[in-house]
Amino acid sequence: MPPLIPQTPHKDDLEETWAFLEKGINNVMLKLEEGVDMKTYMALYTAVHNFCTSQKAVNSQSLHAHRGAHLLGEELYKLLGEYLSRHLEAVNTESQSHVEEALLGFYIREWTRYTTAAKYINHLFQYLNRHWVKREIDEGKKNVYDVYTLHLVKWKDDFFLKVHGKVMDAVLNLVEKQRNGETIEQSQIKSVVDSFVSLGLDESDSRKSTLEVYRYYFEKPFIAATRVYYEDESRQFVAENSVVEYMKKAEARLDEEKARVGLYLHPDISKHLTDTCLDVLVTAHSELLRDEFQPLLDNERQDDLARMYLLLSRIKDGLDPLRTKFEAHVRKAGLAAVEKVAAEGESFEPRLYVNALLQVHTRYHSLVKEAFNGESEFVRSLDNACREFVNRNKICKSGSTKTPELLARYTDSLLKKGSKAAEESELEEMLVQIMTVFKYIEDKDVFQKFYSKMLAKRLVHVSSVSDDAETSMISKLKEACGFEYTNKLQRMFQDIQISKDLNASYKDWEGRALDDEDRKKLMDSHFQILGTGFWPLNAPSTDFLAPPEIVKTAERFQTFYFDKHSGRKLTWLWQLCKGEIKANYIKNTKVPFTFQVSTFQMGILLLFNENDTLSYEDIQKATSLTPEILDPNLSIFLKAKVLLIGPEGSKPGPGTSFTLNYNFKNKKIKVNLNIQIKSEQKVETDDTHKTIEEDRKLLLQSAIVRIMKSRKKMKHVQLVQEVIHQVKSRFPPQVPDIKKNIEALMEKDYIERLDGDEIAYIA
C-alpha cells in the first residue's frame, strides 16, 4: 500500500504551517538515517513555497504582494532560527556528560549529523533563500544568511563557543600522545579542524568564508601548546645528551611537525608552526650548536656539520658566526701545511709547495660542497681564507711574489719533457688545479713574467711535453685574465710556427744555391726567428767568438733571410743555442759518444781539435767568454771528466790548463753537458723581478694617464682609488707607489696639481 500523501497546511496559517514544517525538520535533523520518503519531502518543500507566496493570491497589488511576502518570509526564518537554538541547547546539555576523546567523538558525530541535515533543510527552504533571503541581503540587512549558513552561525553561537575550550584540550592531549610515540585516531583531529574552518564566515559577505575562527580557536592554542611542549623537551634532552644527539633529535622533530600538517592540520598553520619549532628547537639553542662547530671541524665530522648547517640555515643570521670560524680554520690549516714544506729549508721543490696549497683547498672545497650544500657565502669564506694563506705564509714572508714564482716553476716542470711526464688526461687535471691556485694569487703579473720566460725556453729548446698542453694552459690563462694577459704568449707560438715554415724554405734554398762540395760540409742546423717585442729574452751577457764552422752556417742563413726580408736586423742569442758534437777521438768504444752542449761549450770543445792541451788564457782569448760564463762551463767538463785540469784538484782560472781525456767513459752514448748553472738561474730570477718592477711602474702610469684623459679633473684621493680598482686584477698596488708615479707624471707634464687637492690632465 503506497504511503499516504501528507496533507499540506493552509497556506495563510503561520502556526499550522510551522507545526507541519517543524515535525518534518525534526525528522530530518534527528532521524535522517531512517530516511524521508519523497512525498513527505515534496510536501514540506511545497508548504514553504505556498506560505511564502500566500499573500499574492489574496491581493493582486504588486506593492502589497511584495511587502506581504517580505513579512511572512521573515516570520518563517525567525522560527527556524529559534528551532535550531533549541536543538543546539539540547546538544550542549548532552555534551557535558562527555570528556576527552569521548567528547571529541560526540562533537564530530553531532557536527556530521547537523551539517548533513542542514544541506537537506537548506533545500527545503530553497524558495525562501531565492527570494526573501536574497532580497534582504541585497538591501544590506545584517545577520540574514541563506538557510545552510544560518545553521553554521547557530552552531557557532549556541554550541561551539560553549565547548571549544574542552574540545581543544582533548585535541591537544591527543597530539601530545602522538608526540610521545603513542598511536592516535588522527581522523578525529582532521574532522575537528574541518569543522573549525567551516565556521569562519566573512562579515561583509556571508557567502564567503574566512579562516578567522580556525586561526583564533585552533591555531593559536595549538601553537602555544607546541611551544611549551618543545621548550620542556629540548631543555631536558640537552641536559642529558650530546649536542650531536640533540641535532638529530631536533631534525627528527622538525620533520615530524612538517608531516603533521599534511596528515591532519590545515596548510595555513604550516609557516607559523615551522617558525615556532625553529625558534624553540634551534634559535634558543643556537649558541650551544655554534660552540660545537669547531670540534666537529677539527675532527672532520662531515655528516654532523651538514646537520648543523641545515638547522642553522633555517634561522635568521644563523650561519654568520660559522662562516667566520670556518674561514679562520681554513686559513690556519693552510698556514700549517705551508710550514711543513718550509721546514725542509730553501731547497724544496715547487711541486711540494703547490701540492700543499692544493690539498688544503681540495679538502675544504669538498667539505663546503658536501656539508654546506655549496652555499655561496661559505664558498666566499673559503676563497678569502685561501687568498690569505696563498699570498701570506712562511715561504712568502719576504713578499707575496714568491707563490706566483713557485707556481710558474711547477707549471714549467709539468709542461717540460722529462722522465716524469704525466699522461694527457692527468696533465689536463693538473693544469686545472694550477688554475685553482692561480685564482687566489694577488700578483698575477709576477706569474705572467716567470711563466712567459719559461715558456720561451720550452719553445726555443723544443722541450714542451705537447703543443696541446701548452695551448690548453694559455687558453685557461686567457679565460681567467683576458686577451691582453696572454697576447704575447700567443705571439710566441706564432713565431715558432713561422720559423718551421722558414726552415723548410731555407732547406730548399740550400739545395738550389750550394754546389755538391759545400753540401757535404753542411751542418744540420735549425733556426728560430723570434720577435723582439714578444719574447722575454735578452741579448747575450758576454762577447763570444763563435767557431768558424758555426760562423759559416750563420752567415749563409743571414744571406738567405735578408734576401727574403730586407731592412730587418738579426741579433744572435748565443746563450740559447745548442747542438750535438761527436767525440771521435775516444778509441775504447765501438760507437762514438755524442755530447749535447750549449754553443758556448761547443766553442770551447772545438778548440781541442787542434790541441790536446790548452791553457785557461788560450781558451778565454779564442772564445772571448767572460770568466762568469767560462768558469762554470769548464767546471761541467771537469765534473763529467771530458777534460782534465792541471794542476790536479785546482779550480778553473788563470794559470790552469786543460787536457782532453782520451779515456772518457759513460754509461750513455748521448751525454748531456748542457746543464743550467745555479748562478745563472739566480741572476735570471733577479732580472725577472727587476723587469716586474719596471713593468708595474709603466702599468701604473698608463692607468693614471688613461683615467685623467677621460675625467680631465679629479681629486687626488679619487684618482688613487680608481687606479687601485683598475690595476688590482694584475697586482695589489701600494698607495705610496701610486703617489710616486703621479709625481713622476707631473714632472713629465702629463698632469698638473690645482688648488684644493685637485689634479688636472694637460692635453
Side-chain angles (χ1 to χ4, degrees):
M1 187 177 166
L4 294 168
I5 300 172
Q7 187 65 42
T8 52
H10 191 273
K11 58 185 178 182
D12 289 333
D13 192 330
L14 176 64
E15 283 182 26
E16 191 185 332
T17 300
W18 175 247
F20 179 73
L21 285 174
E22 187 175 15
K23 188 182 173 193
I25 291 167
N26 216 33
N27 284 338
V28 172
M29 186 65 80
L30 301 174
K31 301 175 187 172
L32 191 62
E33 61 276 7
E34 293 174 14
V36 178
D37 67 87
M38 181 54 81
K39 288 179 178 163
T40 308
Y41 195 75
M42 283 309 297
L44 290 166
Y45 185 89
T46 307
V48 173
H49 174 269
N50 289 349
F51 184 78
C52 287
T53 55
S54 61
Q55 285 297 92
K56 290 178 185 174
V58 176
N59 194 330
S60 60
Q61 281 184 11
S62 61
L63 181 68
H64 198 82
H66 167 87
R67 190 69 196 142
H70 177 87
L71 284 170
L72 291 173
E74 188 173 12
E75 284 295 328
L76 215 50
Y77 186 82
K78 190 177 164 194
L79 286 167
L80 176 61
E82 287 168 0
Y83 166 79
L84 293 175
S85 294
R86 284 195 304 278
H87 168 73
L88 290 168
E89 183 60 43
V91 172
N92 182 39
T93 304
E94 196 181 341
S95 76
Q96 288 166 11
S97 63
H98 300 284
V99 290
E100 294 296 333
E101 284 180 60
L103 175 63
L104 279 187
F106 175 79
Y107 180 91
I108 292 158
R109 277 195 310 280
E110 287 301 321
W111 167 257
T112 308
R113 189 209 317 245
Y114 184 80
T115 49
T116 308
K119 286 172 193 165
Y120 288 105
I121 296 166
N122 185 58
H123 188 258
L124 291 175
F125 282 80
Q126 198 69 318
Y127 191 83
L128 189 75
N129 281 339
R130 278 204 303 267
H131 295 280
W132 182 81
V133 171
K134 182 178 182 299
R135 197 157 50 238
E136 292 289 303
I137 292 172
D138 288 348
E139 287 175 4
K141 194 148 184 198
K142 294 288 179 193
N143 303 324
V144 175
Y145 316 96
D146 65 68
V147 170
Y148 182 78
T149 307
L150 176 67
H151 280 72
L152 297 181
V153 170
K154 288 293 179 185
W155 176 276
K156 180 186 165 191
D157 294 345
D158 296 337
F159 178 55
F160 173 78
L161 290 177
K162 296 169 186 173
V163 297
H164 71 82
K166 288 181 186 172
V167 170
M168 269 316 290
D169 287 346
V171 167
L172 295 174
N173 284 342
L174 269 188
V175 173
E176 187 168 329
K177 281 182 182 177
Q178 191 180 39
R179 283 173 176 155
N180 291 336
E182 294 179 39
T183 306
I184 63 162
E185 190 61 57
Q186 294 178 162
S187 60
Q188 286 193 320
I189 304 176
K190 179 89 176 89
S191 300
V192 170
V193 168
D194 291 344
S195 157
F196 280 41
V197 170
S198 301
L199 295 175
L201 300 174
D202 192 334
E203 291 296 319
S204 59
D205 185 350
S206 62
R207 285 163 293 192
K208 291 180 185 170
S209 62
T210 70
L211 290 171
E212 289 311 308
V213 172
Y214 165 77
R215 282 179 184 149
Y216 187 79
Y217 293 104
F218 186 95
E219 202 169 291
K220 199 174 169 187
F222 188 91
I223 294 291
T226 301
R227 179 177 287 278
V228 170
Y229 179 84
Y230 283 129
E231 276 175 354
D232 292 344
E233 184 188 68
S234 63
R235 198 182 304 114
Q236 193 176 342
F237 195 89
V238 162
E240 296 168 4
N241 296 273
S242 67
V243 174
V244 170
E245 287 305 313
Y246 175 72
M247 288 196 297
K248 289 177 184 172
K249 180 77 173 172
E251 201 172 44
R253 283 305 201 186
L254 287 165
D255 289 344
E256 277 174 33
E257 293 304 322
K258 187 180 176 184
R260 188 163 282 120
V261 175
L263 290 170
Y264 54 74
L265 299 176
H266 190 275
D268 182 69
I269 202 173
S270 183
K271 186 179 183 307
H272 200 175
L273 179 60
T274 303
D275 289 349
T276 302
C277 292
L278 285 172
D279 189 41
V280 175
L281 296 173
V282 183
T283 308
H285 301 282
S286 58
E287 280 306 311
L288 190 73
L289 298 187
R290 290 180 190 129
D291 289 346
E292 188 68 13
F293 183 67
Q294 193 60 51
L296 293 180
L297 258 187
D298 294 339
N299 297 304
E300 296 188 18
R301 300 270 294 275
Q302 198 162 295
D303 290 347
D304 294 328
L305 285 168
R307 194 168 280 117
M308 184 179 289
Y309 166 78
L310 286 172
L311 288 172
L312 290 172
S313 66
R314 298 177 69 178
I315 65 170
K316 191 174 184 294
D317 301 331
L319 294 172
D320 287 351
L322 264 55
R323 295 188 190 108
T324 310
K325 284 183 182 178
F326 176 70
E327 187 176 322
H329 179 82
V330 176
R331 186 163 64 242
K332 192 175 163 189
L335 293 172
V338 172
E339 278 199 22
K340 275 187 191 171
V341 177
E344 295 187 19
E346 291 291 314
S347 60
F348 63 85
E349 284 183 58
R351 177 178 60 83
L352 290 174
Y353 176 66
V354 175
N355 282 345
L357 300 177
L358 277 168
Q359 277 168 5
V360 175
H361 176 269
T362 306
R363 185 160 89 231
Y364 291 106
H365 182 264
S366 164
L367 184 71
V368 167
K369 195 174 165 190
E370 300 299 327
F372 307 142
N373 204 23
E375 194 235 25
S376 59
E377 290 301 317
F378 270 102
V379 171
R380 185 182 297 170
S381 295
L382 174 67
D383 288 347
N384 289 344
C386 290
R387 195 173 294 110
E388 196 60 34
F389 73 72
V390 163
N391 293 290
R392 283 166 282 283
N393 56 50
K394 196 161 188 180
I395 287 169
C396 300
K397 57 179 179 281
S398 55
S400 58
T401 58
K402 194 69 181 167
T403 298
E405 182 187 332
L406 290 167
L407 188 65
R409 292 195 188 287
Y410 176 54
T411 313
D412 180 52
S413 70
L414 288 179
L415 294 172
K416 198 159 49 178
K417 281 179 190 166
S419 56
K420 293 179 184 173
E423 291 289 320
E424 204 171 313
S425 57
E426 280 179 37
L427 183 57
E428 181 59 26
E429 180 56 37
M430 287 172 173
L431 295 181
V432 170
Q433 290 184 330
I434 281 170
M435 290 310 295
T436 300
V437 178
F438 177 80
K439 177 176 79 171
Y440 296 120
I441 286 173
E442 289 173 354
D443 300 270
K444 289 185 167 54
D445 59 335
V446 175
F447 178 87
Q448 184 198 29
K449 268 284 174 287
F450 279 98
Y451 182 81
S452 58
K453 285 217 166 192
M454 290 163 190
L455 171 64
K457 283 189 181 174
R458 290 197 298 277
L459 294 177
V460 166
H461 297 319
V462 197
S463 62
S464 282
V465 73
S466 82
D467 283 353
D468 287 348
E470 293 285 8
T471 311
S472 171
M473 186 63 194
I474 288 174
S475 69
K476 285 179 175 58
L477 290 170
K478 186 177 179 180
E479 197 178 314
C481 297
F483 169 76
E484 195 185 331
Y485 192 86
T486 55
N487 185 23
K488 288 184 179 180
L489 306 181
Q490 286 172 314
R491 287 300 297 263
M492 284 155 67
F493 263 100
Q494 287 172 13
D495 282 354
I496 293 296
Q497 198 52 52
I498 292 164
S499 295
K500 281 180 187 171
D501 300 340
L502 194 68
N503 276 284
S505 303
Y506 176 60
K507 290 277 184 285
D508 294 344
W509 179 84
E510 275 185 329
R512 291 194 307 274
L514 303 181
D515 55 30
D516 292 344
E517 193 61 35
D518 281 339
R519 272 202 290 275
K520 280 178 191 171
K521 293 177 186 174
L522 271 181
M523 285 172 64
D524 184 12
S525 55
H526 179 84
F527 301 91
Q528 290 174 330
I529 308 297
L530 315 175
T532 315
F534 309 115
W535 290 72
L537 303 171
N538 302 322
S541 58
T542 174
D543 290 335
F544 178 55
L545 288 174
E549 297 90 332
I550 292 176
V551 171
K552 199 179 285 181
T553 306
E555 285 173 349
R556 196 181 291 130
F557 178 78
Q558 274 178 285
T559 306
F560 157 76
Y561 188 77
F562 291 141
D563 280 351
K564 216 170 168 62
H565 304 284
S566 61
R568 288 192 182 177
K569 184 188 173 192
L570 290 178
T571 304
W572 293 91
L573 302 177
W574 295 117
Q575 79 276 23
L576 294 172
C577 298
K578 62 177 184 175
E580 292 182 350
I581 52 177
K582 275 199 174 143
N584 295 316
Y585 63 92
I586 300 162
K587 304 300 179 199
N588 60 1
T589 177
K590 291 173 186 172
V591 181
F593 287 107
T594 301
F595 294 151
Q596 295 172 315
V597 289
S598 69
T599 313
F600 293 155
Q601 290 172 330
M602 196 183 283
I604 297 165
L605 287 179
L606 288 175
L607 296 174
F608 287 89
N609 275 335
E610 309 299 325
N611 300 289
D612 283 352
T613 302
L614 287 165
S615 70
Y616 180 85
E617 288 78 9
D618 291 339
I619 297 170
Q620 193 172 21
K621 188 179 176 186
T623 59
S624 286
L625 290 171
T626 60
E628 289 78 23
I629 301 294
L630 179 60
D631 295 2
N633 279 301
L634 286 171
S635 296
I636 289 169
F637 292 146
L638 295 174
K639 192 176 179 185
K641 295 192 167 59
V642 173
L643 298 176
L644 303 171
I645 193 168
E648 200 176 324
S650 53
K651 288 183 177 178
T656 55
S657 63
F658 301 88
T659 307
L660 208 54
N661 178 14
Y662 278 84
N663 296 315
F664 175 80
K665 286 177 186 171
N666 200 292
K667 289 176 186 174
K668 294 178 180 175
I669 294 296
K670 272 194 175 184
V671 182
N672 182 24
L673 299 170
N674 188 9
I675 302 157
Q676 189 175 25
I677 302 148
K678 276 198 173 170
S679 61
E680 264 182 38
Q681 196 173 334
K682 188 169 184 336
V683 168
E684 203 175 273
T685 303
D686 293 343
D687 286 349
T688 306
H689 280 297
K690 276 179 197 162
T691 58
I692 289 165
E693 289 308 313
E694 282 302 310
D695 286 356
R696 284 185 172 185
K697 196 193 292 182
L698 292 172
L699 194 67
L700 286 172
Q701 290 187 7
S702 63
I704 294 164
V705 170
R706 199 165 49 242
I707 293 162
M708 291 308 301
K709 199 172 182 180
S710 66
R711 299 287 185 87
K712 302 298 184 235
K713 281 184 185 178
M714 215 174 179
K715 289 276 186 194
H716 188 279
V717 178
Q718 286 176 310
L719 176 59
V720 170
Q721 290 304 319
E722 188 64 33
V723 170
I724 291 171
H725 179 69
Q726 285 200 13
V727 175
K728 69 180 178 189
S729 63
R730 296 296 292 273
F731 70 94
Q734 301 299 312
V735 173
D737 291 342
I738 297 172
K739 288 180 176 175
K740 220 178 280 177
N741 283 292
I742 290 172
E743 296 297 330
L745 287 170
M746 284 177 180
E747 285 171 21
K748 293 178 188 174
D749 288 336
Y750 279 97
I751 52 178
E752 62 181 346
R753 196 184 293 280
L754 304 174
D755 294 338
D757 198 29
E758 208 168 26
I759 292 170
Y761 177 69
I762 302 171

